[in-house]
Amino acid sequence: MSAPATARPARPVGPADTAQVLGDFSDIRARGRWRFRLALLGPAFVVAVAYVDPGNVATNVEAGARTGYLLVWVVVLANVMALLVQYLSAKLGLATGRNLPEQCRELAPRWLSRLLWAQAELVAMATDLAEFAGAALGLSLLFGMPIPLAALVTALVSFAVLACQRRGCRTFELAVSALLLLVLCGFAYDLLTVGRHSATGVAAGLVPDLRGADTGLLAAAIVGATVMPHAVYLHSALTQRRVRADGPNDRRFLLRYLRIDCAVGFTLAGAVNLGMLCLSAALFQDTDLGSLDAITAAHADLGRTVGGGAAMAFAVALLASGISSASVGTCAGQVVMQGFLRRRVPLLARRLVTMAPALLVLCVGLPVTSTLVFSQVVLAFGIPFALLPLVVITRRKDLMGPLANRPVTTAAGALVCALVICLNAYLIVTMVKGG
């Protein structure tokens, strides 16, 4: 990518923008030491919701049920990769004042920018499918609600969460963080109440292994559910104008807290993902799942072996993950549209368009967990389209200034991209041979 001869100025922040301003660096610092530090945290917690969405629940529960602890290493590796990728995305927004789609539009040829936008929209539809399917299943497990009706309720509730943005970015961050905490508590409670965990199995699962017919598909799904393309686009938007820094020193200070924000938020998300897989492996360690739906079977097994409270906690956590991630996914969709095309579609219209395929799939009656896993495989194929431009841009000193990547950081980002591409190639070869 090469810079154009004349750069177009960034569009000013409007009331409907995802990139909202928290305040000036000096003004926030004047609030006091602890209030200042806490105010700098938040964007990573919003994005971390995408890392514990129903797609993650489906892939981790399915992996634990089908392969036991075999894919623990994939969960750990995927979350380490995600931490690096999201840090680069957040740093891009902080250093340049632009988000990743805006940078791609400015630096890439028009045809390439439109191609990136088209694939990002397809990824958004796959993301919506996972979020609505998961939340609908959560409502169905809790209240016996039909899946199509539950999906519509999910849409209405996600709009209510998005309405918090009108009260400022901090209110939205706190609302989404509260839902993230609910997901964490729900799965932590279930993990503690199921007492058949195997430390030996977890340790053995840290050794890379892809034996078995379905492990490649599940591994790709876990990576796609974790290193989510729309989360990469969104994180750069959440940091691009959140705090107005006065100079390089202020940006370096903000970068230090950005690292803390990412480390805490994504470590929590990684712990939840690992807990999901271990919970499922413990539940089904002596059971042949067969053709049963893994999420529904896990809910039923929790109620039968542990108690109704554990089953309810599982369903509530699944519902909270779907609602919160649907709201975050809508924000990401706005970032993609505005960044690549410089156009804004009314939020209601965009939500109706992107959720239509999800509602159609749910009304047809396809197996929910299998559908969720397939949607995450689609996301895995979209990762390189977001990651390659991210690594290329964040290494450029003319754009990033003193916050440009060090060579080792660029090498790590390139390695992550290579690993994802190799996993996708392995999956394609496996599917061709199996077919």
Side-chain angles (χ1 to χ4, degrees), residues 320-344:
S321 73
I323 292 173
S324 56
S325 59
S327 304
V328 171
T330 301
C331 289
Q334 291 291 89
V335 169
V336 167
M337 178 69 74
Q338 292 173 200
F340 282 115
L341 302 183
R342 304 194 80 178
R343 295 177 183 174
R344 182 187 303 148

Side-chain angles (χ1 to χ4, degrees), residues 86-100:
Q86 295 300 152
Y87 166 70
L88 293 180
S89 177
K91 186 173 70 166
L92 183 149
L94 172 64
T96 68
R98 293 177 184 269
N99 57 56
L100 181 56

Side-chain angles (χ1 to χ4, degrees), residues 116-192:
L116 292 174
W117 166 74
Q119 67 82 31
E121 293 293 349
L122 292 175
V123 165
M125 290 184 182
T127 303
D128 276 344
L129 174 58
E131 292 157 354
F132 278 93
L137 182 56
L139 281 172
S140 178
L141 293 176
L142 279 172
F143 306 111
M145 190 178 295
I147 293 292
L149 176 60
L152 292 175
V153 173
T154 300
L156 294 175
V157 177
S158 66
F159 277 124
V161 176
L162 281 171
C164 294
Q165 277 193 312
R166 298 183 181 275
R167 297 179 177 271
C169 63
R170 196 59 177 168
T171 303
F172 178 67
E173 289 171 359
L174 292 174
V176 174
S177 297
L179 289 170
L180 175 62
L181 181 62
L182 185 59
V183 176
L184 174 63
C185 291
F187 286 113
Y189 174 79
D190 285 341
L191 191 64
L192 292 174

Side-chain angles (χ1 to χ4, degrees), residues 26-46:
S26 55
D27 293 340
I28 300 173
R29 196 164 195 172
R31 298 177 185 177
R33 182 179 179 183
W34 287 106
R35 289 187 65 188
F36 170 63
R37 291 180 175 180
L38 289 174
L40 298 182
L41 306 178
F45 289 85
V46 173

Side-chain angles (χ1 to χ4, degrees), residues 101-118:
E102 288 173 340
Q103 290 285 8
C104 290
R105 187 193 71 235
E106 295 291 341
L107 302 175
R110 183 181 179 87
W111 67 267
L112 180 56
S113 177
R114 292 300 175 92
L115 176 63
L116 292 174
W117 166 74

Side-chain angles (χ1 to χ4, degrees), residues 42-92:
F45 289 85
V46 173
V47 179
V49 164
Y51 288 75
V52 292
D53 74 348
N56 292 87
V57 178
T59 55
N60 291 320
V61 170
E62 186 82 8
R66 304 289 180 185
T67 67
Y69 299 100
L70 182 68
L71 296 181
V72 165
W73 69 274
V74 179
V75 175
V76 174
L77 179 62
N79 281 276
V80 171
M81 293 192 300
L83 176 57
L84 172 63
V85 170
Q86 295 300 152
Y87 166 70
L88 293 180
S89 177
K91 186 173 70 166
L92 183 149

